[in-house]
Amino acid sequence: MGSRAADFLAPNLLTGRLGLPFRLGGPFGLTLQAVPRLDLAFLSASAGDLFRARRAMGYGLALRTMLDRFYVELDYGWMRVQEPGGTWGRSSGSFNAQIGTQPFDLWRRR
């Protein structure tokens, strides 16, 4: 949450996510799901340094809905990064939009 899609490329990554989804009635009869979320990640070049390396914390809000046969997710969040032995850096914001088709359902939701 709060980072650009390919901002962090790391061979060793551990991520924890905490969120609480709420369902809301939206415009045009849509059902919206709002999810306030907190993400915490550890990134390192080697597996032995995972908890001594770079940390990232993201927080924000994700909105999800279905439009006909398309899944739509919009989220805005802020992220802070901590270098090893340093303090947390400044927060930077990011907006992400994901639109995809509905996955194939063998049982047609029965």
Side-chain angles (χ1 to χ4, degrees):
M1 177 67 72
S3 70
R4 292 180 290 277
D7 209 14
F8 295 100
L9 300 175
N12 297 294
L13 172 71
L14 174 69
T15 303
R17 174 175 287 170
L18 179 64
L20 183 61
F22 296 99
R23 292 205 183 267
L24 311 165
F28 311 113
L30 295 175
T31 300
L32 294 173
Q33 185 181 49
V35 184
R37 201 167 77 195
L38 174 69
D39 298 343
L40 182 62
F42 298 91
L43 308 103
S44 73
S46 65
D49 293 330
L50 189 59
F51 294 103
R52 291 187 297 269
R54 208 171 182 191
R55 295 181 184 157
M57 180 176 60
Y59 49 95
L61 179 70
L63 294 174
R64 299 181 185 131
T65 192
M66 293 289 293
L67 290 172
D68 193 22
R69 294 189 180 265
F70 291 96
Y71 173 79
V72 178
E73 179 174 320
L74 305 172
D75 57 303
Y76 188 83
W78 296 270
M79 191 175 78
R80 299 172 69 178
V81 176
Q82 180 187 32
E83 297 298 333
T87 60
W88 288 97
R90 294 184 50 169
S91 293
S92 63
S94 174
F95 173 77
N96 294 305
Q98 298 175 13
I99 300 173
T101 60
Q102 190 173 359
F104 174 74
D105 187 0
L106 182 64
W107 306 111
R108 300 192 191 279
R109 298 184 184 245
R110 288 185 220 169

XYZ file of all heavy atoms in Angstrom:
863
model
N 0.853 -1.162 0.000
C 0.000 0.000 0.000
C 0.902 1.227 0.000
O 1.803 1.325 0.815
C -0.890 -0.024 1.242
C -1.789 1.160 1.427
S -3.095 1.366 0.233
C -4.220 0.099 0.637
N 0.700 2.101 -0.941
C 1.463 3.329 -0.993
C 2.696 3.290 -1.856
O 3.374 4.293 -2.027
N 3.039 2.117 -2.421
C 4.229 2.055 -3.266
C 3.826 1.864 -4.722
O 2.748 1.377 -5.026
C 5.138 0.893 -2.842
O 4.528 -0.326 -3.181
N 4.716 2.254 -5.621
C 4.481 1.986 -7.036
C 4.698 0.499 -7.278
O 5.400 -0.162 -6.532
C 5.412 2.845 -7.874
C 5.043 4.330 -7.771
C 5.963 5.202 -8.590
N 7.301 5.276 -8.031
C 7.657 6.103 -7.059
N 6.777 6.912 -6.532
N 8.878 6.118 -6.608
N 4.101 -0.039 -8.334
C 4.044 -1.489 -8.555
C 5.405 -2.166 -8.502
O 5.560 -3.200 -7.872
C 3.362 -1.777 -9.890
N 6.408 -1.663 -9.162
C 7.720 -2.320 -9.209
C 8.784 -1.481 -8.519
O 9.928 -1.458 -8.915
C 8.116 -2.590 -10.651
N 8.417 -0.792 -7.451
C 9.340 0.100 -6.760
C 10.410 -0.678 -5.994
O 11.540 -0.251 -5.913
C 8.562 0.990 -5.802
C 9.211 2.330 -5.589
O 10.116 2.683 -6.361
O 8.801 3.034 -4.664
N 10.040 -1.818 -5.430
C 10.975 -2.597 -4.640
C 11.162 -3.961 -5.283
O 10.232 -4.759 -5.350
C 10.458 -2.785 -3.212
C 10.363 -1.506 -2.440
C 9.155 -0.873 -2.292
C 11.498 -0.931 -1.902
C 9.065 0.316 -1.600
C 11.424 0.259 -1.208
C 10.204 0.878 -1.055
N 12.365 -4.226 -5.747
C 12.710 -5.536 -6.282
C 13.715 -6.160 -5.324
O 14.839 -5.701 -5.210
C 13.303 -5.400 -7.685
C 12.382 -4.745 -8.716
C 13.117 -4.556 -10.027
C 11.148 -5.580 -8.925
N 13.296 -7.171 -4.595
C 14.156 -7.786 -3.594
C 13.991 -9.297 -3.655
O 12.875 -9.798 -3.746
C 13.789 -7.284 -2.194
N 15.107 -10.026 -3.600
C 15.000 -11.484 -3.636
C 14.395 -12.057 -2.353
O 13.835 -13.135 -2.361
C 16.432 -11.953 -3.829
C 17.280 -10.819 -3.418
C 16.477 -9.573 -3.603
N 14.484 -11.350 -1.249
C 13.942 -11.812 0.028
C 12.985 -10.759 0.566
O 13.373 -9.623 0.827
C 15.072 -12.047 1.029
C 15.990 -13.139 0.548
O 15.592 -14.279 0.454
N 17.204 -12.770 0.193
N 11.737 -11.152 0.728
C 10.690 -10.214 1.113
C 9.727 -10.909 2.061
O 9.294 -12.035 1.811
C 9.931 -9.739 -0.133
C 8.677 -8.902 0.066
C 9.051 -7.521 0.574
C 7.912 -8.788 -1.233
N 9.399 -10.258 3.156
C 8.400 -10.740 4.102
C 7.413 -9.611 4.307
O 7.807 -8.491 4.629
C 9.049 -11.131 5.427
C 8.110 -11.526 6.557
C 7.434 -12.860 6.211
C 8.852 -11.626 7.858
N 6.129 -9.894 4.099
C 5.106 -8.859 4.198
C 3.977 -9.315 5.104
O 3.519 -10.450 5.013
C 4.517 -8.543 2.807
O 5.568 -8.158 1.940
C 3.518 -7.422 2.880
N 3.521 -8.414 5.950
C 2.339 -8.645 6.780
C 1.301 -7.585 6.440
O 1.645 -6.429 6.194
N 0.046 -7.994 6.414
C -1.025 -7.074 6.029
C -2.157 -7.182 7.046
O -2.593 -8.267 7.389
C -1.530 -7.437 4.640
C -2.729 -6.642 4.202
C -3.085 -6.966 2.788
N -2.087 -6.343 1.939
C -1.970 -6.576 0.651
N -2.767 -7.422 0.055
N -1.052 -5.963 -0.064
N -2.644 -6.039 7.492
C -3.763 -5.977 8.418
C -4.810 -5.045 7.820
O -4.505 -3.902 7.472
C -3.294 -5.445 9.774
C -4.349 -5.285 10.849
C -4.935 -6.646 11.222
C -3.755 -4.615 12.063
N -6.032 -5.535 7.671
C -7.105 -4.727 7.092
C -8.448 -5.168 7.619
O -8.622 -6.305 8.062
N -9.412 -4.282 7.581
C -10.749 -4.578 8.053
C -11.754 -4.129 6.989
O -12.010 -2.934 6.842
C -11.018 -3.858 9.371
C -12.351 -4.121 10.038
C -12.499 -5.594 10.388
C -12.486 -3.277 11.275
N -12.311 -5.069 6.199
C -13.206 -4.679 5.105
C -14.601 -4.270 5.594
O -15.139 -4.845 6.527
C -13.286 -5.933 4.241
C -12.910 -7.055 5.126
C -12.039 -6.497 6.209
N -15.158 -3.260 4.941
C -16.523 -2.787 5.178
C -17.263 -2.827 3.854
O -16.727 -2.417 2.833
C -16.533 -1.338 5.686
C -15.890 -1.149 7.016
C -14.584 -0.694 7.106
C -16.597 -1.420 8.170
C -13.992 -0.503 8.333
C -15.996 -1.238 9.404
C -14.698 -0.775 9.492
N -18.495 -3.287 3.855
C -19.320 -3.267 2.643
C -20.240 -2.063 2.692
O -20.863 -1.784 3.704
C -20.137 -4.541 2.529
C -19.279 -5.740 2.277
C -20.072 -6.827 1.572
N -19.248 -8.002 1.398
C -18.536 -8.240 0.310
N -18.550 -7.408 -0.686
N -17.799 -9.331 0.221
N -20.314 -1.351 1.558
C -21.130 -0.147 1.448
C -21.979 -0.209 0.191
O -21.563 -0.796 -0.807
C -20.232 1.100 1.341
C -19.098 1.269 2.338
C -18.139 2.315 1.846
C -19.671 1.684 3.661
N -23.126 0.431 0.222
C -23.923 0.583 -0.987
C -23.381 1.751 -1.785
O -23.175 2.838 -1.248
N -23.117 1.528 -3.051
C -22.532 2.564 -3.889
C -23.539 3.101 -4.895
O -24.706 2.701 -4.914
N -23.087 3.990 -5.760
C -23.971 4.534 -6.789
C -24.326 3.478 -7.831
O -23.587 2.509 -8.024
C -23.133 5.666 -7.395
C -21.725 5.273 -7.140
C -21.742 4.518 -5.839
N -25.443 3.648 -8.506
C -25.897 2.764 -9.585
C -26.118 1.318 -9.122
O -25.973 0.380 -9.891
C -24.922 2.773 -10.769
C -24.535 4.144 -11.212
C -23.240 4.598 -11.060
C -25.468 5.003 -11.763
C -22.868 5.867 -11.465
C -25.114 6.271 -12.165
C -23.815 6.713 -12.021
N -26.427 1.128 -7.846
C -26.690 -0.209 -7.329
C -25.460 -1.073 -7.121
O -25.571 -2.281 -6.946
N -24.268 -0.493 -7.155
C -23.035 -1.254 -6.948
C -22.794 -1.496 -5.468
O -23.180 -0.699 -4.622
C -21.838 -0.490 -7.511
C -21.806 -0.269 -9.008
C -20.619 0.615 -9.360
C -21.710 -1.586 -9.733
N -22.154 -2.589 -5.159
C -21.700 -2.851 -3.804
C -20.215 -2.528 -3.748
O -19.435 -3.067 -4.526
C -21.926 -4.325 -3.415
O -23.317 -4.603 -3.502
C -21.445 -4.596 -2.019
N -19.826 -1.648 -2.855
C -18.425 -1.270 -2.687
C -17.871 -1.944 -1.441
O -18.583 -2.115 -0.455
C -18.277 0.235 -2.527
C -18.632 1.112 -3.707
C -18.575 2.576 -3.292
C -17.695 0.856 -4.853
N -16.617 -2.301 -1.502
C -15.922 -2.800 -0.334
C -14.791 -1.826 -0.044
O -13.917 -1.603 -0.889
C -15.370 -4.200 -0.577
C -14.735 -4.807 0.644
C -14.166 -6.181 0.372
O -13.448 -6.377 -0.601
N -14.484 -7.121 1.235
N -14.820 -1.221 1.138
C -13.772 -0.297 1.566
C -12.903 -1.020 2.592
O -13.417 -1.626 3.527
C -14.376 0.958 2.175
N -11.580 -0.943 2.395
C -10.653 -1.658 3.276
C -9.558 -0.710 3.749
O -8.623 -0.407 2.996
C -9.994 -2.860 2.556
C -9.125 -3.646 3.520
C -11.025 -3.742 1.907
N -9.657 -0.183 4.991
C -8.505 0.515 5.548
C -7.435 -0.527 5.846
O -7.742 -1.596 6.380
C -9.028 1.157 6.838
C -10.422 0.704 6.999
C -10.801 -0.165 5.864
N -6.184 -0.246 5.473
C -5.158 -1.288 5.517
C -3.825 -0.748 6.018
O -3.463 0.392 5.748
C -5.000 -1.850 4.111
C -4.397 -3.204 4.070
C -4.555 -3.819 2.725
N -3.593 -3.240 1.797
C -3.674 -3.365 0.490
N -4.659 -4.007 -0.061
N -2.761 -2.842 -0.274
N -3.086 -1.627 6.700
C -1.728 -1.346 7.164
C -0.851 -2.495 6.705
O -1.166 -3.664 6.956
C -1.696 -1.228 8.689
C -0.320 -1.088 9.329
C 0.290 0.258 8.986
C -0.408 -1.277 10.821
N 0.225 -2.195 5.996
C 1.172 -3.208 5.509
C 2.538 -2.939 6.126
O 2.949 -1.787 6.251
C 1.326 -3.141 3.991
C 0.033 -3.423 3.240
O -0.899 -3.971 3.851
O -0.045 -3.100 2.054
N 3.256 -4.001 6.478
C 4.624 -3.891 6.977
C 5.464 -4.900 6.217
O 5.089 -6.063 6.104
C 4.689 -4.166 8.476
C 6.058 -4.034 9.129
C 6.589 -2.610 8.999
C 5.997 -4.444 10.576
N 6.600 -4.464 5.671
C 7.446 -5.340 4.856
C 8.897 -5.247 5.292
O 9.362 -4.197 5.721
C 7.325 -4.960 3.385
N 9.602 -6.374 5.166
C 11.039 -6.459 5.393
C 11.663 -6.892 4.079
O 11.213 -7.864 3.464
C 11.355 -7.488 6.484
C 10.767 -7.156 7.820
C 9.516 -7.625 8.172
C 11.465 -6.387 8.722
C 8.961 -7.328 9.397
C 10.927 -6.075 9.950
C 9.666 -6.549 10.301
N 12.712 -6.181 3.621
C 13.350 -6.461 2.340
C 14.855 -6.606 2.540
O 15.461 -5.808 3.247
C 13.121 -5.305 1.366
C 11.686 -4.857 1.167
C 11.416 -3.592 1.922
C 11.435 -4.664 -0.283
N 15.451 -7.628 1.922
C 16.907 -7.785 2.030
C 17.465 -8.494 0.807
O 16.738 -9.150 0.067
C 17.266 -8.568 3.293
O 16.939 -9.917 3.147
N 18.775 -8.356 0.636
C 19.457 -9.025 -0.473
C 19.753 -10.480 -0.147
O 19.808 -11.324 -1.027
C 20.746 -8.292 -0.812
N 19.925 -10.813 1.145
C 20.194 -12.197 1.533
C 19.230 -12.615 2.639
O 18.786 -11.788 3.435
C 21.636 -12.366 2.006
O 21.848 -11.636 3.184
N 18.912 -13.893 2.700
C 17.919 -14.389 3.649
C 18.338 -14.184 5.101
O 17.511 -13.947 5.964
C 17.641 -15.862 3.384
N 19.615 -14.250 5.390
C 20.098 -14.081 6.755
C 19.964 -12.663 7.288
O 20.003 -12.453 8.494
N 19.817 -11.694 6.415
C 19.718 -10.290 6.833
C 18.294 -9.753 6.794
O 18.090 -8.552 6.880
C 20.578 -9.415 5.913
C 22.051 -9.706 6.072
O 22.451 -10.100 7.178
O 22.798 -9.541 5.091
N 17.303 -10.619 6.693
C 15.934 -10.164 6.481
C 15.440 -9.217 7.571
O 14.825 -8.193 7.275
C 14.986 -11.366 6.370
C 13.568 -11.054 5.927
C 13.565 -10.392 4.562
C 12.736 -12.311 5.903
N 15.703 -9.501 8.841
C 15.203 -8.635 9.916
C 16.179 -7.531 10.307
O 15.893 -6.734 11.187
C 14.822 -9.479 11.132
C 13.649 -10.374 10.857
C 13.831 -11.721 10.628
C 12.372 -9.849 10.779
C 12.758 -12.544 10.362
C 11.291 -10.658 10.512
C 11.478 -12.009 10.300
N 17.340 -7.472 9.646
C 18.306 -6.402 9.924
C 18.402 -5.418 8.761
O 19.192 -4.501 8.798
C 19.676 -7.017 10.187
C 19.745 -7.787 11.474
C 21.154 -8.233 11.768
N 21.687 -9.156 10.763
C 21.584 -10.468 10.824
N 20.948 -11.036 11.825
N 22.104 -11.228 9.883
N 17.630 -5.625 7.719
C 17.730 -4.802 6.511
C 16.615 -3.764 6.457
O 16.032 -3.397 7.472
C 17.717 -5.697 5.283
N 16.307 -3.349 5.280
C 15.330 -2.300 4.994
C 13.906 -2.698 5.414
O 13.506 -3.834 5.247
C 15.351 -2.098 3.488
C 14.994 -0.801 3.007
C 15.302 -0.782 1.527
N 15.009 0.516 1.012
C 14.960 0.809 -0.245
N 15.213 -0.101 -1.137
N 14.675 2.013 -0.628
N 13.157 -1.732 5.943
C 11.757 -1.951 6.306
C 10.898 -0.922 5.597
O 11.319 0.205 5.367
C 11.545 -1.793 7.808
C 12.243 -2.825 8.607
C 11.984 -2.627 10.067
N 12.776 -3.597 10.798
C 13.132 -3.458 12.036
N 12.776 -2.399 12.714
N 13.845 -4.385 12.628
N 9.683 -1.322 5.293
C 8.733 -0.399 4.678
C 7.380 -0.568 5.359
O 6.968 -1.687 5.666
C 8.604 -0.668 3.186
N 6.707 0.556 5.611
C 5.379 0.528 6.211
C 4.440 1.335 5.327
O 4.728 2.483 4.991
C 5.401 1.113 7.615
C 4.029 1.102 8.271
S 4.019 1.681 9.974
C 4.641 3.334 9.795
N 3.334 0.725 4.926
C 2.347 1.402 4.105
C 0.991 1.402 4.775
O 0.640 0.458 5.481
N 0.232 2.464 4.577
C -1.107 2.548 5.148
C -1.985 3.360 4.208
O -1.510 4.247 3.514
C -1.082 3.164 6.550
C -0.293 4.444 6.644
C -0.916 5.677 6.534
C 1.080 4.410 6.838
C -0.180 6.846 6.609
C 1.820 5.569 6.918
C 1.181 6.787 6.803
O 1.909 7.946 6.869
N -3.249 2.990 4.140
C -4.147 3.692 3.243
C -5.511 3.033 3.168
O -5.909 2.276 4.052
N -6.226 3.307 2.065
C -7.584 2.828 1.865
C -7.721 2.230 0.477
O -7.296 2.834 -0.510
C -8.580 3.986 2.022
C -10.051 3.657 1.811
C -10.566 2.790 2.953
C -10.862 4.928 1.709
N -8.330 1.044 0.397
C -8.598 0.383 -0.883
C -10.106 0.300 -1.078
O -10.844 -0.008 -0.141
C -7.991 -1.012 -0.908
N -10.581 0.583 -2.297
C -11.993 0.448 -2.665
C -12.093 -0.599 -3.757
O -11.367 -0.531 -4.745
C -12.559 1.773 -3.174
C -12.642 2.910 -2.179
C -13.074 4.187 -2.870
C -13.604 2.558 -1.065
N -13.003 -1.565 -3.581
C -13.172 -2.645 -4.561
C -14.639 -2.750 -4.955
O -15.525 -2.555 -4.122
C -12.762 -3.986 -3.967
C -11.343 -4.053 -3.556
C -11.039 -5.433 -2.997
N -9.691 -5.449 -2.504
C -9.331 -5.903 -1.314
N -10.227 -6.394 -0.499
N -8.079 -5.876 -0.941
N -14.886 -3.113 -6.222
C -16.237 -3.372 -6.699
C -16.180 -4.226 -7.958
O -15.101 -4.455 -8.508
C -17.004 -2.059 -6.973
O -18.382 -2.354 -7.164
C -16.440 -1.321 -8.170
N -17.326 -4.680 -8.405
C -17.460 -5.422 -9.655
C -18.335 -4.595 -10.587
O -19.423 -4.179 -10.206
C -18.130 -6.778 -9.431
C -17.317 -7.761 -8.614
S -15.883 -8.409 -9.455
C -16.632 -9.364 -10.731
N -17.855 -4.327 -11.787
C -18.627 -3.645 -12.823
C -18.852 -4.648 -13.943
O -17.916 -4.985 -14.662
C -17.872 -2.433 -13.372
C -17.730 -1.241 -12.455
C -16.791 -0.212 -13.070
C -19.078 -0.631 -12.180
N -20.081 -5.135 -14.051
C -20.429 -6.169 -15.018
C -19.518 -7.375 -14.795
O -19.647 -8.062 -13.803
C -20.362 -5.635 -16.437
C -21.018 -6.578 -17.449
O -21.867 -7.394 -17.021
O -20.671 -6.509 -18.623
N -18.588 -7.658 -15.670
C -17.665 -8.783 -15.491
C -16.234 -8.319 -15.200
O -15.284 -9.066 -15.409
C -17.669 -9.663 -16.736
C -18.986 -10.347 -16.941
C -18.858 -11.373 -18.042
N -20.112 -12.044 -18.244
C -20.433 -13.198 -17.683
N -19.584 -13.799 -16.888
N -21.593 -13.753 -17.927
N -16.097 -7.103 -14.735
C -14.770 -6.560 -14.448
C -14.613 -6.292 -12.958
O -15.500 -5.746 -12.309
C -14.522 -5.266 -15.221
C -14.397 -5.479 -16.686
C -15.494 -5.308 -17.519
C -13.196 -5.865 -17.241
C -15.389 -5.516 -18.873
C -13.079 -6.073 -18.603
C -14.175 -5.901 -19.412
N -13.463 -6.668 -12.435
C -13.083 -6.405 -11.059
C -12.307 -5.095 -11.056
O -11.367 -4.920 -11.827
C -12.197 -7.557 -10.561
C -11.587 -7.337 -9.220
C -12.319 -7.531 -8.064
C -10.259 -6.941 -9.104
C -11.747 -7.339 -6.826
C -9.685 -6.745 -7.874
C -10.438 -6.947 -6.727
O -9.872 -6.749 -5.504
N -12.700 -4.153 -10.200
C -12.047 -2.849 -10.146
C -11.575 -2.599 -8.716
O -12.340 -2.765 -7.761
C -13.020 -1.717 -10.573
C -12.346 -0.364 -10.467
C -13.547 -1.960 -11.976
N -10.304 -2.230 -8.577
C -9.768 -1.871 -7.266
C -9.015 -0.554 -7.400
O -8.150 -0.399 -8.266
C -8.826 -2.943 -6.734
C -8.244 -2.574 -5.379
C -7.415 -3.669 -4.746
O -7.825 -4.843 -4.852
O -6.375 -3.353 -4.175
N -9.366 0.388 -6.558
C -8.701 1.687 -6.487
C -8.152 1.838 -5.081
O -8.867 1.581 -4.106
C -9.685 2.830 -6.769
C -10.470 2.756 -8.070
C -11.530 3.845 -8.101
C -9.539 2.876 -9.256
N -6.897 2.218 -4.955
C -6.366 2.446 -3.619
C -5.402 3.612 -3.594
O -4.731 3.919 -4.572
C -5.729 1.178 -3.034
C -4.631 0.588 -3.870
O -4.896 0.283 -5.029
O -3.511 0.429 -3.366
N -5.417 4.281 -2.458
C -4.496 5.380 -2.216
C -3.867 5.139 -0.859
O -4.549 4.793 0.106
C -5.205 6.735 -2.223
C -4.199 7.858 -2.175
C -3.589 8.302 -3.346
C -3.807 8.434 -0.986
C -2.634 9.301 -3.323
C -2.854 9.434 -0.954
C -2.268 9.870 -2.119
O -1.320 10.847 -2.093
N -2.554 5.295 -0.804
C -1.866 5.062 0.458
C -0.567 5.823 0.544
O -0.100 6.423 -0.422
N -0.001 5.802 1.715
C 1.276 6.443 1.990
C 2.251 5.385 2.449
O 1.862 4.388 3.052
C 1.111 7.486 3.092
C 0.226 8.604 2.702
C 0.579 9.775 2.094
C -1.185 8.672 2.873
N -0.534 10.548 1.888
C -1.631 9.894 2.346
C -2.136 7.796 3.407
C -2.956 10.276 2.358
C -3.462 8.175 3.415
C -3.853 9.406 2.902
N 3.509 5.585 2.169
C 4.521 4.627 2.563
C 5.738 5.334 3.126
O 6.120 6.407 2.647
C 4.950 3.761 1.379
C 5.789 2.600 1.822
S 6.180 1.495 0.495
C 7.456 2.422 -0.287
N 6.326 4.712 4.140
C 7.563 5.197 4.754
C 8.570 4.067 4.720
O 8.224 2.903 4.873
C 7.313 5.600 6.200
C 6.306 6.710 6.335
C 5.945 6.940 7.762
N 7.104 7.498 8.452
C 7.101 7.853 9.712
N 6.035 7.690 10.434
N 8.173 8.353 10.269
N 9.836 4.408 4.532
C 10.904 3.408 4.472
C 11.925 3.711 5.564
O 12.255 4.868 5.823
C 11.591 3.428 3.081
C 12.761 2.463 3.037
C 10.580 3.091 2.000
N 12.436 2.646 6.201
C 13.486 2.775 7.203
C 14.701 2.006 6.731
O 14.636 0.801 6.490
C 13.028 2.232 8.553
C 14.091 2.335 9.626
C 13.673 1.634 10.902
O 12.957 0.636 10.865
N 14.126 2.143 12.025
N 15.806 2.701 6.585
C 17.069 2.044 6.241
C 17.659 1.418 7.499
O 17.339 1.837 8.605
C 18.039 3.070 5.645
C 17.564 3.690 4.351
C 17.386 2.701 3.211
O 18.069 1.659 3.202
O 16.544 2.962 2.338
N 18.525 0.410 7.366
C 19.114 -0.238 8.542
C 19.830 0.764 9.439
O 20.639 1.559 8.977
C 20.112 -1.235 7.956
C 19.679 -1.449 6.549
C 18.991 -0.183 6.127
N 19.492 0.731 10.735
C 20.130 1.609 11.703
C 19.697 3.058 11.618
O 20.214 3.907 12.341
N 18.741 3.386 10.776
C 18.298 4.772 10.618
C 16.896 4.998 11.155
O 16.302 4.140 11.792
N 16.397 6.180 10.905
C 15.042 6.521 11.316
C 14.107 6.377 10.114
O 14.545 6.231 8.980
C 14.975 7.969 11.844
O 15.394 8.848 10.807
C 15.866 8.150 13.054
N 12.834 6.434 10.372
C 11.847 6.336 9.297
C 11.923 7.581 8.436
O 12.004 8.701 8.940
C 10.439 6.191 9.867
C 10.193 4.854 10.473
C 10.282 4.519 11.788
C 9.837 3.659 9.787
N 10.005 3.191 11.964
C 9.712 2.636 10.759
C 9.604 3.346 8.460
C 9.372 1.333 10.421
C 9.243 2.044 8.131
C 9.138 1.053 9.107
N 11.869 7.392 7.137
C 11.898 8.509 6.195
C 10.539 9.185 6.092
O 9.598 8.852 6.802
N 10.448 10.123 5.172
C 9.198 10.847 4.953
C 8.178 9.957 4.256
O 8.520 9.071 3.492
C 9.457 12.067 4.088
C 10.329 13.109 4.780
C 10.462 14.310 3.932
N 9.117 14.727 3.502
C 8.860 15.863 2.908
N 9.819 16.688 2.645
N 7.645 16.179 2.552
N 6.903 10.236 4.494
C 5.822 9.510 3.821
C 5.664 10.014 2.397
O 5.763 11.213 2.140
C 4.497 9.708 4.552
O 4.530 9.108 5.807
N 5.430 9.090 1.480
C 5.127 9.468 0.102
C 3.847 8.751 -0.301
O 3.648 7.583 0.022
C 6.277 9.097 -0.829
O 6.464 7.703 -0.839
N 2.981 9.456 -1.014
C 1.689 8.900 -1.395
C 1.696 8.333 -2.796
O 2.494 8.718 -3.643
N 0.770 7.407 -3.040
C 0.662 6.778 -4.346
C -0.780 6.334 -4.577
O -1.437 5.831 -3.670
C 1.592 5.565 -4.407
O 1.412 4.864 -5.603
N -1.256 6.521 -5.815
C -2.582 6.070 -6.220
C -2.410 4.914 -7.195
O -1.604 5.000 -8.122
C -3.354 7.207 -6.896
C -4.662 6.774 -7.477
C -5.748 6.554 -6.657
C -4.800 6.572 -8.836
C -6.959 6.144 -7.178
C -6.002 6.170 -9.382
C -7.093 5.953 -8.548
N -3.132 3.814 -6.976
C -3.065 2.650 -7.853
C -4.467 2.259 -8.287
O -5.409 2.312 -7.496
C -2.425 1.454 -7.131
C -0.987 1.690 -6.789
O -0.188 2.002 -7.654
N -0.659 1.572 -5.520
N -4.606 1.849 -9.538
C -5.874 1.360 -10.073
C -5.616 0.024 -10.759
O -4.685 -0.105 -11.544
C -6.454 2.353 -11.063
N -6.445 -0.959 -10.447
C -6.335 -2.275 -11.064
C -7.702 -2.634 -11.633
O -8.714 -2.556 -10.934
C -5.935 -3.329 -10.040
C -4.599 -3.081 -9.423
C -4.302 -4.092 -8.329
O -4.978 -5.102 -8.190
N -3.277 -3.818 -7.554
N -7.718 -3.013 -12.890
C -8.952 -3.433 -13.544
C -8.664 -4.773 -14.215
O -7.701 -4.905 -14.959
C -9.416 -2.401 -14.588
C -9.662 -1.060 -13.907
C -10.675 -2.883 -15.296
C -9.952 0.069 -14.855
N -9.484 -5.757 -13.945
C -9.269 -7.083 -14.519
C -10.585 -7.782 -14.772
O -11.629 -7.382 -14.271
N -10.526 -8.834 -15.547
C -11.732 -9.599 -15.825
C -12.010 -10.551 -14.678
O -11.125 -10.887 -13.900
C -11.586 -10.403 -17.127
O -10.485 -11.286 -16.985
C -11.379 -9.489 -18.306
N -13.236 -10.990 -14.617
C -13.629 -11.944 -13.599
C -12.984 -13.286 -13.916
O -13.001 -13.722 -15.064
C -15.143 -12.060 -13.600
C -15.695 -12.827 -12.439
C -17.205 -12.741 -12.422
O -17.817 -12.107 -13.262
N -17.812 -13.396 -11.459
N -12.411 -13.972 -12.934
C -11.763 -15.251 -13.218
C -12.764 -16.315 -13.655
O -13.945 -16.237 -13.336
C -11.105 -15.623 -11.895
C -11.793 -14.829 -10.870
C -12.329 -13.600 -11.538
N -12.278 -17.296 -14.382
C -13.114 -18.399 -14.839
C -13.658 -19.165 -13.633
O -12.928 -19.476 -12.702
C -12.288 -19.337 -15.725
C -13.026 -20.571 -16.133
C -14.020 -20.490 -17.093
C -12.724 -21.790 -15.565
C -14.706 -21.634 -17.478
C -13.396 -22.929 -15.947
C -14.401 -22.850 -16.908
N -14.947 -19.460 -13.631
C -15.595 -20.157 -12.537
C -16.215 -21.441 -13.076
O -17.236 -21.401 -13.769
C -16.647 -19.260 -11.909
C -17.253 -19.850 -10.646
O -16.854 -20.968 -10.248
O -18.103 -19.187 -10.055
N -15.614 -22.575 -12.790
C -16.066 -23.856 -13.297
C -17.513 -24.170 -12.888
O -18.286 -24.710 -13.657
C -15.126 -24.975 -12.833
C -15.429 -26.378 -13.302
C -15.305 -26.459 -14.824
C -14.500 -27.361 -12.638
N -17.886 -23.800 -11.664
C -19.210 -24.147 -11.133
C -20.224 -23.019 -11.328
O -21.350 -23.133 -10.883
C -19.095 -24.507 -9.658
C -18.074 -25.571 -9.448
C -16.875 -25.410 -8.825
C -18.124 -26.913 -9.895
N -16.177 -26.573 -8.847
C -16.925 -27.531 -9.505
C -19.051 -27.677 -10.599
C -16.639 -28.862 -9.765
C -18.753 -28.992 -10.856
C -17.573 -29.569 -10.442
N -19.857 -21.939 -11.954
C -20.754 -20.812 -12.217
C -21.482 -20.326 -10.967
O -22.679 -20.093 -10.955
C -21.750 -21.165 -13.319
C -21.072 -21.504 -14.614
C -22.073 -21.549 -15.734
N -21.484 -22.131 -16.917
C -20.719 -21.495 -17.776
N -20.432 -20.246 -17.582
N -20.216 -22.109 -18.820
N -20.703 -20.202 -9.886
C -21.177 -19.678 -8.599
C -22.336 -20.464 -7.995
O -23.225 -19.909 -7.391
C -21.553 -18.211 -8.730
C -20.371 -17.365 -9.111
C -20.770 -15.931 -9.120
N -19.657 -15.142 -9.579
C -19.018 -14.274 -8.860
N -19.379 -14.048 -7.630
N -18.016 -13.593 -9.342
N -22.345 -21.751 -8.186
C -23.399 -22.587 -7.574
C -22.906 -23.185 -6.289
O -21.811 -23.552 -6.127
C -23.789 -23.712 -8.527
C -24.559 -23.184 -9.659
C -25.040 -24.306 -10.504
N -24.883 -23.858 -11.885
C -24.992 -24.620 -12.928
N -25.206 -25.887 -12.779
N -24.869 -24.153 -14.118
